[in-house]
Amino acid sequence: MATLIVRASIAILLALLSAAPSCAREKWQGPSTFFRSLDESRDGFVSLSEWTAMYGHCDPNDETCKRSLRSSLVEFHCGDTNGDQRLSWSEYYDM
């Protein structure tokens, strides 16, 4: 019984380890097309103004648009883990 548990544990561990490199490869292949499209200044970061520009101009009377913008701002600030008011590819990827 103990041998069966050990074998199952090893199989699970190997499955987890084999999945990790593909995630890391995807992250470090570089910024996605969408990230690059947000980065209008082409400095490798998405600033808060670049982030909010994707929403265009919200109609002040459109509650749905205002809620989406507020939600997006929360998402931006949560993703900006070092607090520099811009998202690196790594911060964006990890959101």
Coordinates of all heavy atoms in Angstrom, one line a residue:
M1 N 0.8 -1.2 0.0 CA 0.0 0.0 0.0 C 0.9 1.3 0.0 O 0.6 2.2 -0.7 CB -0.9 0.0 1.2 CG -1.9 1.1 1.3 SD -3.1 1.1 -0.1 CE -4.2 2.3 0.4
A2 N 1.9 1.3 0.8 CA 2.8 2.4 0.9 C 3.5 2.7 -0.4 O 3.7 3.8 -0.8 CB 3.8 2.2 2.0
T3 N 3.9 1.6 -1.1 CA 4.5 1.7 -2.4 C 3.6 2.4 -3.4 O 4.0 3.2 -4.2 CB 5.0 0.3 -2.9 OG1 5.8 -0.3 -1.9 CG2 5.7 0.4 -4.2
L4 N 2.3 2.0 -3.4 CA 1.4 2.6 -4.3 C 1.2 4.1 -4.0 O 1.1 4.9 -5.0 CB 0.0 1.9 -4.1 CG -1.1 2.3 -5.0 CD1 -0.7 2.1 -6.5 CD2 -2.4 1.5 -4.7
I5 N 1.2 4.5 -2.8 CA 1.1 5.9 -2.4 C 2.3 6.7 -2.9 O 2.2 7.8 -3.4 CB 0.8 6.1 -0.9 CG1 -0.5 5.5 -0.5 CG2 0.9 7.5 -0.5 CD1 -0.8 5.4 1.0
V6 N 3.5 6.1 -2.7 CA 4.7 6.7 -3.1 C 4.7 6.9 -4.6 O 5.0 8.0 -5.2 CB 5.9 6.0 -2.6 CG1 7.2 6.5 -3.3 CG2 6.1 6.0 -1.1
R7 N 4.3 5.9 -5.4 CA 4.3 5.9 -6.8 C 3.3 7.0 -7.3 O 3.6 7.8 -8.2 CB 3.9 4.6 -7.4 CG 5.1 3.6 -7.4 CD 4.7 2.3 -8.0 NE 5.8 1.4 -7.9 CZ 5.7 0.1 -8.2 NH1 4.6 -0.4 -8.6 NH2 6.8 -0.7 -8.1
A8 N 2.1 7.1 -6.7 CA 1.1 8.1 -7.0 C 1.6 9.5 -6.8 O 1.5 10.4 -7.6 CB -0.2 7.8 -6.3
S9 N 2.3 9.6 -5.6 CA 2.9 10.9 -5.3 C 3.9 11.4 -6.3 O 4.0 12.5 -6.7 CB 3.5 10.9 -3.9 OG 2.5 10.6 -2.9
I10 N 4.8 10.4 -6.7 CA 5.8 10.7 -7.7 C 5.2 11.1 -9.0 O 5.6 12.0 -9.7 CB 6.8 9.5 -7.8 CG1 7.6 9.4 -6.5 CG2 7.7 9.7 -9.0 CD1 8.5 8.2 -6.5
A11 N 4.2 10.4 -9.4 CA 3.5 10.7 -10.7 C 2.9 12.1 -10.7 O 3.0 12.8 -11.6 CB 2.4 9.6 -11.0
I12 N 2.3 12.4 -9.6 CA 1.7 13.8 -9.4 C 2.8 14.8 -9.5 O 2.7 15.9 -10.2 CB 0.8 13.9 -8.2 CG1 -0.4 13.0 -8.3 CG2 0.5 15.4 -7.9 CD1 -1.2 12.9 -7.0
L13 N 3.9 14.6 -8.8 CA 5.0 15.6 -8.8 C 5.6 15.7 -10.1 O 5.8 16.9 -10.6 CB 6.0 15.1 -7.8 CG 7.3 16.0 -7.6 CD1 6.9 17.4 -7.1 CD2 8.3 15.4 -6.7
L14 N 5.8 14.7 -10.9 CA 6.3 14.7 -12.2 C 5.4 15.5 -13.2 O 5.8 16.3 -14.0 CB 6.6 13.3 -12.8 CG 7.8 12.6 -12.1 CD1 7.9 11.2 -12.6 CD2 9.1 13.4 -12.4
A15 N 4.1 15.3 -13.0 CA 3.1 16.0 -13.8 C 3.2 17.5 -13.6 O 3.1 18.3 -14.5 CB 1.7 15.5 -13.6
L16 N 3.3 17.9 -12.3 CA 3.4 19.3 -12.0 C 4.6 19.9 -12.5 O 4.6 21.0 -13.0 CB 3.3 19.5 -10.4 CG 1.9 19.2 -9.8 CD1 2.0 19.2 -8.3 CD2 0.9 20.2 -10.3
L17 N 5.7 19.2 -12.3 CA 7.0 19.7 -12.8 C 7.1 19.9 -14.3 O 7.7 20.8 -14.9 CB 8.2 18.8 -12.3 CG 8.5 18.9 -10.8 CD1 9.5 17.9 -10.5 CD2 8.9 20.3 -10.4
S18 N 6.4 19.0 -15.0 CA 6.5 19.0 -16.5 C 5.6 20.2 -17.0 O 5.8 20.7 -18.1 CB 6.0 17.7 -17.1 OG 4.7 17.5 -16.8
A19 N 4.6 20.6 -16.3 CA 3.7 21.7 -16.7 C 4.4 23.0 -16.4 O 4.2 24.0 -17.2 CB 2.4 21.6 -15.9
A20 N 5.2 23.2 -15.4 CA 5.7 24.4 -15.0 C 6.6 25.1 -16.1 O 6.5 26.2 -16.4 CB 6.5 24.3 -13.7
P21 N 7.5 24.3 -16.8 CA 8.3 25.0 -17.8 C 7.6 25.6 -18.9 O 7.9 26.6 -19.4 CB 9.3 23.8 -18.3 CG 9.3 22.9 -17.1 CD 7.9 23.0 -16.5
S22 N 6.5 25.0 -19.3 CA 5.7 25.6 -20.4 C 5.1 26.9 -20.0 O 5.1 27.8 -20.8 CB 4.6 24.6 -20.9 OG 3.6 24.4 -20.0
C23 N 4.7 27.0 -18.8 CA 4.1 28.3 -18.3 C 5.3 29.4 -18.3 O 5.1 30.5 -18.7 CB 3.5 28.2 -16.9 SG 2.1 27.1 -16.8
A24 N 6.4 29.0 -17.8 CA 7.5 29.9 -17.7 C 8.0 30.3 -19.1 O 8.3 31.5 -19.4 CB 8.7 29.3 -17.0
R25 N 8.0 29.3 -20.1 CA 8.4 29.7 -21.4 C 7.5 30.7 -22.1 O 7.9 31.6 -22.7 CB 8.4 28.4 -22.3 CG 9.7 27.7 -22.3 CD 9.8 26.6 -23.4 NE 8.7 25.8 -23.5 CZ 8.5 24.6 -22.8 NH1 9.5 24.2 -22.0 NH2 7.5 23.9 -23.0
E26 N 6.1 30.5 -21.8 CA 5.1 31.4 -22.4 C 5.4 32.8 -21.8 O 5.3 33.8 -22.6 CB 3.8 30.9 -22.0 CG 2.6 31.8 -22.6 CD 1.3 31.2 -22.2 OE1 1.0 30.0 -22.4 OE2 0.5 32.0 -21.7
K27 N 5.6 32.9 -20.5 CA 5.8 34.2 -19.9 C 7.0 34.9 -20.5 O 7.0 36.1 -20.8 CB 5.9 34.1 -18.4 CG 6.1 35.4 -17.7 CD 6.1 35.2 -16.2 CE 6.2 36.5 -15.5 NZ 6.1 36.3 -14.0
W28 N 8.1 34.2 -20.6 CA 9.4 34.8 -21.0 C 9.6 34.8 -22.5 O 10.7 35.2 -23.0 CB 10.5 34.2 -20.2 CG 10.3 34.4 -18.8 CD1 10.0 33.6 -17.8 CD2 10.3 35.7 -18.1 NE1 9.8 34.2 -16.6 CE2 10.0 35.5 -16.8 CE3 10.4 37.0 -18.6 CZ2 9.9 36.6 -15.9 CZ3 10.3 38.1 -17.7 CH2 10.1 37.8 -16.3
Q29 N 8.6 34.4 -23.3 CA 8.7 34.6 -24.7 C 8.5 36.0 -25.1 O 8.8 36.5 -26.2 CB 7.7 33.7 -25.5 CG 8.0 32.3 -25.5 CD 7.0 31.4 -26.2 OE1 5.9 31.9 -26.4 NE2 7.3 30.2 -26.5
G30 N 8.1 36.8 -24.1 CA 8.0 38.3 -24.3 C 6.5 38.7 -24.4 O 5.6 37.9 -24.3
P31 N 6.3 40.0 -24.4 CA 5.0 40.6 -24.3 C 4.1 40.1 -25.4 O 4.5 39.9 -26.6 CB 5.2 42.1 -24.4 CG 6.6 42.3 -24.0 CD 7.4 41.0 -24.4
S32 N 2.8 39.9 -25.1 CA 1.8 39.5 -26.0 C 1.5 40.6 -27.0 O 1.8 41.8 -26.7 CB 0.5 39.1 -25.3 OG -0.1 40.2 -24.7
T33 N 0.8 40.3 -28.0 CA 0.4 41.3 -29.0 C -0.5 42.4 -28.3 O -0.3 43.6 -28.6 CB -0.3 40.7 -30.2 OG1 0.6 39.7 -30.8 CG2 -0.7 41.7 -31.2
F34 N -1.4 41.9 -27.5 CA -2.3 42.9 -26.8 C -1.5 43.8 -25.9 O -1.7 45.0 -25.9 CB -3.4 42.1 -26.0 CG -4.4 43.1 -25.4 CD1 -5.2 43.8 -26.2 CD2 -4.4 43.2 -24.0 CE1 -6.1 44.7 -25.6 CE2 -5.3 44.1 -23.4 CZ -6.2 44.8 -24.2
F35 N -0.5 43.3 -25.1 CA 0.3 44.1 -24.3 C 1.0 45.2 -25.1 O 1.0 46.3 -24.8 CB 1.3 43.3 -23.5 CG 2.1 44.1 -22.5 CD1 1.7 44.4 -21.3 CD2 3.4 44.5 -22.9 CE1 2.5 45.1 -20.4 CE2 4.2 45.3 -22.1 CZ 3.8 45.6 -20.8
R36 N 1.6 44.7 -26.2 CA 2.3 45.7 -27.1 C 1.4 46.7 -27.6 O 1.8 47.9 -27.8 CB 3.1 44.9 -28.2 CG 4.3 44.1 -27.6 CD 5.2 43.7 -28.7 NE 4.5 42.9 -29.7 CZ 4.4 41.6 -29.7 NH1 4.9 40.9 -28.7 NH2 3.8 40.9 -30.7
S37 N 0.2 46.3 -27.9 CA -0.8 47.3 -28.5 C -1.2 48.4 -27.4 O -1.4 49.5 -27.7 CB -2.0 46.7 -29.0 OG -2.9 46.2 -28.0
L38 N -1.2 48.0 -26.1 CA -1.5 48.9 -25.1 C -0.3 49.9 -24.8 O -0.5 51.0 -24.5 CB -1.8 48.2 -23.8 CG -3.0 47.4 -23.7 CD1 -3.1 46.7 -22.4 CD2 -4.2 48.3 -23.8
D39 N 0.9 49.4 -25.1 CA 2.2 50.2 -24.8 C 2.4 51.1 -26.0 O 3.3 50.9 -26.8 CB 3.3 49.2 -24.7 CG 4.6 49.9 -24.4 OD1 4.6 51.1 -24.0 OD2 5.7 49.2 -24.6
E40 N 1.6 52.2 -26.0 CA 1.7 53.2 -27.1 C 3.1 53.9 -27.2 O 3.5 54.2 -28.3 CB 0.6 54.2 -27.0 CG -0.8 53.6 -27.2 CD -1.9 54.6 -27.1 OE1 -1.6 55.8 -26.7 OE2 -3.0 54.2 -27.2
S41 N 3.7 54.1 -26.1 CA 5.0 54.8 -26.1 C 6.2 53.8 -26.4 O 7.3 54.3 -26.6 CB 5.3 55.4 -24.7 OG 5.4 54.4 -23.7
R42 N 5.9 52.5 -26.5 CA 6.9 51.5 -26.9 C 8.1 51.5 -25.9 O 9.2 51.2 -26.3 CB 7.4 51.7 -28.3 CG 6.3 51.7 -29.4 CD 5.7 50.3 -29.4 NE 4.7 50.2 -30.4 CZ 3.4 49.9 -30.2 NH1 3.0 49.8 -29.0 NH2 2.5 49.9 -31.2
D43 N 7.8 51.8 -24.6 CA 8.9 51.8 -23.6 C 9.0 50.4 -22.9 O 9.8 50.3 -22.0 CB 8.8 52.9 -22.7 CG 7.5 52.9 -21.8 OD1 6.6 52.0 -22.1 OD2 7.3 53.8 -21.0
G44 N 8.1 49.5 -23.2 CA 8.1 48.2 -22.6 C 7.2 48.1 -21.3 O 7.2 47.1 -20.6
F45 N 6.5 49.2 -21.1 CA 5.6 49.3 -19.9 C 4.2 49.8 -20.4 O 4.2 50.6 -21.4 CB 6.1 50.2 -18.8 CG 7.4 49.7 -18.3 CD1 8.6 50.2 -18.8 CD2 7.5 48.9 -17.2 CE1 9.8 49.7 -18.3 CE2 8.7 48.4 -16.7 CZ 9.9 48.8 -17.2
V46 N 3.2 49.5 -19.6 CA 1.9 50.1 -19.9 C 1.6 51.1 -18.7 O 1.5 50.7 -17.6 CB 0.8 49.0 -20.0 CG1 -0.6 49.7 -20.1 CG2 1.0 48.1 -21.1
S47 N 1.6 52.4 -19.0 CA 1.3 53.4 -18.0 C -0.2 53.4 -17.7 O -1.0 52.8 -18.4 CB 1.8 54.7 -18.5 OG 0.9 55.2 -19.6
L48 N -0.5 54.1 -16.6 CA -1.9 54.2 -16.3 C -2.7 54.9 -17.4 O -3.8 54.5 -17.7 CB -2.0 55.0 -14.9 CG -3.4 55.2 -14.4 CD1 -4.2 53.8 -14.2 CD2 -3.4 55.9 -13.1
S49 N -2.1 55.9 -18.0 CA -2.8 56.6 -19.1 C -3.0 55.7 -20.3 O -4.1 55.8 -20.9 CB -2.1 57.9 -19.4 OG -0.9 57.7 -19.9
E50 N -2.0 54.9 -20.6 CA -2.2 54.0 -21.7 C -3.2 52.9 -21.4 O -4.0 52.5 -22.2 CB -0.8 53.3 -22.0 CG 0.2 54.2 -22.6 CD 1.6 53.6 -22.7 OE1 2.0 52.8 -21.8 OE2 2.3 53.9 -23.6
W51 N -3.3 52.5 -20.1 CA -4.2 51.5 -19.7 C -5.7 52.1 -19.8 O -6.5 51.4 -20.3 CB -4.0 51.1 -18.2 CG -4.8 50.1 -17.6 CD1 -5.9 50.3 -16.8 CD2 -4.7 48.7 -17.8 NE1 -6.5 49.1 -16.5 CE2 -5.8 48.1 -17.0 CE3 -3.8 47.8 -18.4 CZ2 -5.9 46.7 -16.9 CZ3 -4.0 46.5 -18.3 CH2 -5.0 45.9 -17.6
T52 N -5.9 53.3 -19.3 CA -7.2 53.9 -19.4 C -7.6 54.2 -20.8 O -8.8 54.3 -21.1 CB -7.4 55.1 -18.4 OG1 -6.4 56.0 -18.8 CG2 -7.2 54.7 -17.0
A53 N -6.7 54.5 -21.7 CA -7.0 54.8 -23.1 C -7.7 53.7 -23.8 O -8.4 54.0 -24.7 CB -5.7 55.2 -23.8
M54 N -7.5 52.5 -23.4 CA -8.2 51.4 -24.1 C -9.7 51.5 -23.9 O -10.4 50.9 -24.7 CB -7.6 50.0 -23.6 CG -8.1 49.5 -22.3 SD -7.5 47.8 -22.1 CE -7.5 47.8 -20.3
Y55 N -10.1 52.2 -22.9 CA -11.6 52.4 -22.7 C -12.1 53.6 -23.5 O -13.3 53.8 -23.5 CB -11.9 52.5 -21.2 CG -11.8 51.2 -20.5 CD1 -10.6 50.8 -19.9 CD2 -12.9 50.4 -20.5 CE1 -10.6 49.6 -19.3 CE2 -12.8 49.1 -19.9 CZ -11.6 48.8 -19.3 OH -11.5 47.5 -18.7
G56 N -11.2 54.3 -24.1 CA -11.7 55.5 -24.9 C -12.3 56.5 -24.0 O -11.9 56.7 -22.8
H57 N -13.3 57.2 -24.5 CA -13.9 58.2 -23.7 C -15.3 57.7 -23.2 O -16.2 57.4 -24.0 CB -14.1 59.5 -24.5 CG -12.8 60.0 -25.0 ND1 -11.9 60.6 -24.2 CD2 -12.2 59.9 -26.3 CE1 -10.8 61.0 -24.9 NE2 -11.0 60.5 -26.2
C58 N -15.4 57.5 -21.9 CA -16.6 57.1 -21.3 C -17.6 58.2 -21.3 O -17.3 59.3 -21.0 CB -16.4 56.6 -19.9 SG -16.1 54.9 -19.6
D59 N -18.8 57.8 -21.6 CA -20.0 58.7 -21.5 C -20.3 58.9 -20.0 O -20.5 57.9 -19.3 CB -21.2 58.2 -22.3 CG -22.4 59.0 -22.1 OD1 -22.4 60.0 -21.3 OD2 -23.4 58.7 -22.8
P60 N -20.2 60.1 -19.5 CA -20.5 60.3 -18.0 C -21.8 59.7 -17.6 O -22.0 59.5 -16.4 CB -20.4 61.8 -17.8 CG -19.9 62.4 -19.1 CD -20.0 61.4 -20.2
N61 N -22.8 59.5 -18.5 CA -24.1 59.0 -18.1 C -24.2 57.5 -18.3 O -25.2 56.9 -18.0 CB -25.2 59.7 -19.0 CG -25.2 61.2 -18.8 OD1 -25.1 61.6 -17.6 ND2 -25.2 61.9 -19.9
D62 N -23.1 56.9 -18.8 CA -23.2 55.4 -19.0 C -22.6 54.7 -17.8 O -21.4 54.6 -17.6 CB -22.3 55.1 -20.3 CG -22.4 53.6 -20.7 OD1 -22.9 52.8 -19.9 OD2 -21.9 53.3 -21.8
E63 N -23.5 54.2 -17.0 CA -23.1 53.5 -15.7 C -22.2 52.3 -16.0 O -21.3 52.0 -15.3 CB -24.3 53.2 -14.9 CG -24.9 54.4 -14.2 CD -24.0 55.2 -13.3 OE1 -23.2 54.5 -12.6 OE2 -24.0 56.4 -13.4
T64 N -22.6 51.6 -17.0 CA -21.8 50.3 -17.4 C -20.4 50.7 -17.7 O -19.4 50.0 -17.2 CB -22.5 49.6 -18.5 OG1 -23.8 49.3 -18.2 CG2 -21.7 48.3 -18.9
C65 N -20.2 51.7 -18.5 CA -18.8 52.1 -18.9 C -18.1 52.6 -17.7 O -16.9 52.3 -17.5 CB -18.9 53.2 -19.9 SG -17.3 53.7 -20.6
K66 N -18.7 53.4 -16.8 CA -18.0 53.9 -15.6 C -17.7 52.7 -14.7 O -16.6 52.7 -14.1 CB -18.9 54.9 -14.9 CG -19.1 56.2 -15.6 CD -19.7 57.3 -14.8 CE -21.0 57.0 -14.2 NZ -21.6 58.2 -13.6
R67 N -18.5 51.7 -14.5 CA -18.2 50.6 -13.7 C -17.0 49.8 -14.2 O -16.1 49.4 -13.5 CB -19.4 49.6 -13.5 CG -20.4 50.0 -12.4 CD -21.3 48.9 -12.1 NE -22.1 48.4 -13.3 CZ -23.2 49.0 -13.7 NH1 -23.7 50.0 -13.1 NH2 -23.8 48.5 -14.8
S68 N -17.0 49.6 -15.6 CA -15.9 48.9 -16.2 C -14.6 49.7 -16.0 O -13.6 49.1 -15.7 CB -16.2 48.8 -17.7 OG -17.2 47.9 -17.9
L69 N -14.6 51.0 -16.1 CA -13.4 51.8 -15.9 C -12.9 51.7 -14.5 O -11.7 51.5 -14.2 CB -13.7 53.2 -16.3 CG -12.5 54.2 -16.2 CD1 -11.3 53.7 -17.0 CD2 -12.9 55.6 -16.6
R70 N -13.8 51.8 -13.5 CA -13.5 51.7 -12.1 C -12.8 50.3 -11.8 O -11.8 50.2 -11.2 CB -14.7 51.9 -11.2 CG -15.0 53.4 -11.0 CD -16.0 53.5 -9.8 NE -17.2 52.9 -10.0 CZ -18.3 53.4 -10.6 NH1 -18.2 54.6 -11.1 NH2 -19.4 52.7 -10.8
S71 N -13.5 49.3 -12.4 CA -13.0 47.9 -12.2 C -11.6 47.7 -12.8 O -10.7 47.1 -12.2 CB -14.0 46.9 -12.8 OG -13.5 45.6 -12.7
S72 N -11.4 48.3 -13.9 CA -10.1 48.3 -14.6 C -9.0 49.0 -13.8 O -7.9 48.5 -13.8 CB -10.3 48.9 -16.0 OG -9.0 48.9 -16.6
L73 N -9.4 50.1 -13.2 CA -8.4 50.9 -12.4 C -8.0 50.1 -11.2 O -6.8 50.0 -10.9 CB -9.0 52.2 -12.0 CG -9.2 53.2 -13.2 CD1 -9.9 54.5 -12.7 CD2 -7.8 53.5 -13.8
V74 N -8.9 49.4 -10.6 CA -8.6 48.5 -9.5 C -7.6 47.4 -9.9 O -6.6 47.1 -9.3 CB -9.9 47.9 -8.8 CG1 -9.5 46.8 -7.8 CG2 -10.7 49.0 -8.1
E75 N -8.0 46.8 -11.1 CA -7.1 45.7 -11.6 C -5.7 46.3 -11.9 O -4.7 45.6 -11.6 CB -7.8 45.2 -12.9 CG -7.1 44.0 -13.5 CD -7.8 43.5 -14.8 OE1 -8.6 44.2 -15.3 OE2 -7.4 42.4 -15.2
F76 N -5.6 47.4 -12.5 CA -4.3 48.0 -12.8 C -3.5 48.2 -11.5 O -2.4 47.8 -11.4 CB -4.5 49.4 -13.5 CG -3.2 50.1 -13.8 CD1 -2.5 49.9 -15.0 CD2 -2.5 50.9 -12.9 CE1 -1.3 50.5 -15.3 CE2 -1.3 51.5 -13.1 CZ -0.7 51.3 -14.4
H77 N -4.1 48.8 -10.5 CA -3.4 49.1 -9.3 C -3.0 47.8 -8.5 O -2.0 47.7 -7.9 CB -4.1 50.1 -8.4 CG -4.1 51.4 -9.0 ND1 -3.0 52.2 -9.1 CD2 -5.1 52.2 -9.5 CE1 -3.3 53.4 -9.6 NE2 -4.6 53.4 -9.9
C78 N -3.8 46.8 -8.6 CA -3.5 45.5 -8.0 C -2.3 44.8 -8.7 O -1.5 44.2 -8.1 CB -4.7 44.6 -8.0 SG -6.0 45.0 -6.8
G79 N -2.3 45.0 -10.1 CA -1.3 44.4 -10.9 C 0.1 45.1 -10.7 O 1.1 44.5 -10.9
D80 N 0.0 46.4 -10.4 CA 1.2 47.2 -10.3 C 1.9 46.9 -8.9 O 1.8 47.7 -8.0 CB 0.9 48.7 -10.4 CG 2.0 49.6 -10.3 OD1 3.2 49.2 -10.5 OD2 1.8 50.8 -10.0
T81 N 2.5 45.8 -8.8 CA 3.0 45.3 -7.5 C 4.1 46.2 -6.9 O 4.3 46.2 -5.7 CB 3.5 43.9 -7.6 OG1 4.5 43.7 -8.6 CG2 2.3 42.9 -8.0
N82 N 4.9 46.9 -7.8 CA 5.9 47.7 -7.2 C 5.5 49.2 -7.1 O 6.3 50.0 -6.6 CB 7.2 47.6 -8.0 CG 7.1 48.1 -9.5 OD1 6.0 48.6 -9.9 ND2 8.1 48.0 -10.2
G83 N 4.3 49.5 -7.4 CA 3.7 50.8 -7.2 C 4.3 51.9 -8.1 O 4.3 53.1 -7.7
D84 N 4.9 51.6 -9.2 CA 5.5 52.7 -10.1 C 4.6 53.3 -11.1 O 5.0 54.0 -12.0 CB 6.8 52.1 -10.7 CG 6.5 51.0 -11.8 OD1 5.3 50.6 -11.9 OD2 7.5 50.6 -12.4
Q85 N 3.3 53.0 -11.0 CA 2.2 53.5 -11.8 C 2.4 53.1 -13.3 O 1.9 53.8 -14.2 CB 2.2 55.1 -11.8 CG 1.9 55.6 -10.4 CD 0.5 55.2 -9.9 OE1 -0.5 55.5 -10.6 NE2 0.4 54.5 -8.8
R86 N 3.0 51.9 -13.5 CA 3.0 51.3 -14.8 C 3.1 49.8 -14.6 O 3.6 49.4 -13.6 CB 4.2 51.9 -15.6 CG 5.5 51.7 -15.0 CD 6.6 52.5 -15.7 NE 7.9 52.0 -15.3 CZ 9.0 52.3 -16.0 NH1 9.0 52.9 -17.1 NH2 10.1 51.8 -15.5
L87 N 2.7 49.1 -15.7 CA 2.8 47.6 -15.6 C 3.9 47.1 -16.5 O 3.9 47.5 -17.7 CB 1.5 47.0 -16.1 CG 0.2 47.3 -15.3 CD1 -1.0 46.8 -16.0 CD2 0.3 46.7 -13.9
S88 N 4.8 46.4 -16.0 CA 5.8 45.7 -16.8 C 5.0 44.4 -17.4 O 3.9 44.1 -17.0 CB 6.9 45.2 -15.9 OG 6.5 44.2 -15.0
W89 N 5.7 43.8 -18.3 CA 5.1 42.6 -18.9 C 4.9 41.5 -17.8 O 3.9 40.9 -17.7 CB 6.0 42.0 -20.0 CG 5.7 40.6 -20.4 CD1 6.5 39.6 -20.4 CD2 4.4 40.1 -20.9 NE1 5.8 38.4 -20.8 CE2 4.6 38.8 -21.2 CE3 3.2 40.7 -21.2 CZ2 3.5 38.0 -21.7 CZ3 2.2 39.9 -21.7 CH2 2.3 38.6 -21.9
S90 N 5.9 41.4 -16.9 CA 5.8 40.4 -15.8 C 4.6 40.7 -14.9 O 3.8 39.8 -14.6 CB 7.1 40.4 -15.0 OG 7.0 39.4 -14.0
E91 N 4.4 42.0 -14.6 CA 3.3 42.3 -13.7 C 1.9 42.1 -14.5 O 1.0 41.5 -13.9 CB 3.3 43.8 -13.3 CG 4.4 44.1 -12.3 CD 4.6 45.6 -12.1 OE1 4.5 46.4 -13.1 OE2 4.8 46.0 -10.9
Y92 N 1.9 42.4 -15.7 CA 0.7 42.2 -16.5 C 0.4 40.7 -16.7 O -0.8 40.3 -16.5 CB 0.9 42.9 -17.9 CG -0.3 42.6 -18.9 CD1 -1.4 43.4 -18.8 CD2 -0.2 41.6 -19.8 CE1 -2.5 43.1 -19.7 CE2 -1.2 41.3 -20.7 CZ -2.4 42.1 -20.6 OH -3.4 41.8 -21.5
Y93 N 1.4 40.0 -16.9 CA 1.2 38.5 -17.1 C 0.7 37.9 -15.9 O -0.2 37.0 -15.9 CB 2.5 37.9 -17.5 CG 2.4 36.4 -17.9 CD1 2.1 36.0 -19.2 CD2 2.6 35.4 -16.9 CE1 2.0 34.7 -19.5 CE2 2.5 34.1 -17.2 CZ 2.2 33.7 -18.5 OH 2.0 32.4 -18.8
D94 N 1.1 38.3 -14.7 CA 0.8 37.7 -13.4 C -0.6 38.2 -12.9 O -1.1 37.7 -11.9 CB 1.8 38.0 -12.4 CG 3.1 37.3 -12.6 OD1 3.1 36.3 -13.4 OD2 4.2 37.8 -12.1
M95 N -1.2 39.1 -13.6 CA -2.6 39.6 -13.1 C -3.6 38.5 -13.2 O -3.6 37.7 -14.1 CB -3.0 40.8 -13.9 CG -2.1 42.0 -13.6 SD -2.4 43.5 -14.6 CE -4.1 43.7 -14.6

